[in-house]
Amino acid sequence: QVQLVESGGGLVQAGGSLRLSCAASGRTSENYHMGWFRQAQGKDLEFVAAITWKGGSIAYADFAKGRFAISRGNGANSVYLQMNSLQPEDTAVYYCAADSQPQRLDADSEYQYWGRGTQVTVAS
């Protein structure tokens, strides 16, 4: 079993930045591909960004390109999401996800492990 814990969410003004972190614990002997998804109130879960375990492949949702950056930590299984130029439409709960062999990085159904989420609120 793997536990994922997100941190770094909060309230920020439009145009501001936040850096989300996600750390894995438990059965981390495997190497995990990791991703970020978000869910705004009343809307479906949507893909934000993902990175393979060695960092060799990265994927972004169109809205994240040029504003968000995903990276791996120095630890075995940690991931960060740097979010710049935040807008009110970025307000959502952001979830970290991990899987050892997702067939697609941008599909939430491919990830076995999920964190509880961290709230990001962008004020206009």
Side-chain angles (χ1 to χ4, degrees):
Q1 195 75 347
V2 174
Q3 295 79 42
L4 301 176
V5 179
E6 304 97 335
S7 60
L11 174 64
V12 65
Q13 295 294 316
S17 299
L18 284 174
R19 186 179 189 235
L20 305 184
S21 301
C22 175
S25 62
R27 194 180 73 185
T28 57
S29 57
E30 295 184 51
N31 296 305
Y32 293 97
H33 305 302
M34 300 183 79
W36 288 97
F37 293 78
R38 71 183 187 182
Q39 187 169 28
Q41 191 170 8
K43 295 188 176 180
D44 292 336
L45 187 68
E46 67 175 342
F47 170 71
V48 179
I51 186 169
T52 53
W53 77 272
K54 281 188 174 181
S57 181
I58 291 175
Y60 291 104
D62 285 344
F63 66 81
K65 292 177 182 177
R67 297 192 301 133
F68 295 1
I70 189 170
S71 61
R72 300 298 297 240
N74 290 327
N77 284 292
S78 58
V79 65
Y80 303 99
L81 184 68
Q82 177 67 42
M83 304 187 295
N84 300 322
S85 301
L86 285 163
Q87 299 301 316
E89 53 265 33
D90 295 314
T91 295
V93 178
Y94 284 70
Y95 296 93
C96 175
D99 196 273
S100 58
Q101 292 183 325
Q103 295 300 305
R104 287 180 52 182
L105 290 176
D106 62 347
D108 60 272
S109 60
E110 294 292 322
Y111 289 85
Q112 181 176 8
Y113 301 107
W114 290 82
R116 293 189 173 186
T118 184
Q119 176 71 46
V120 171
T121 303
V122 184
S124 58

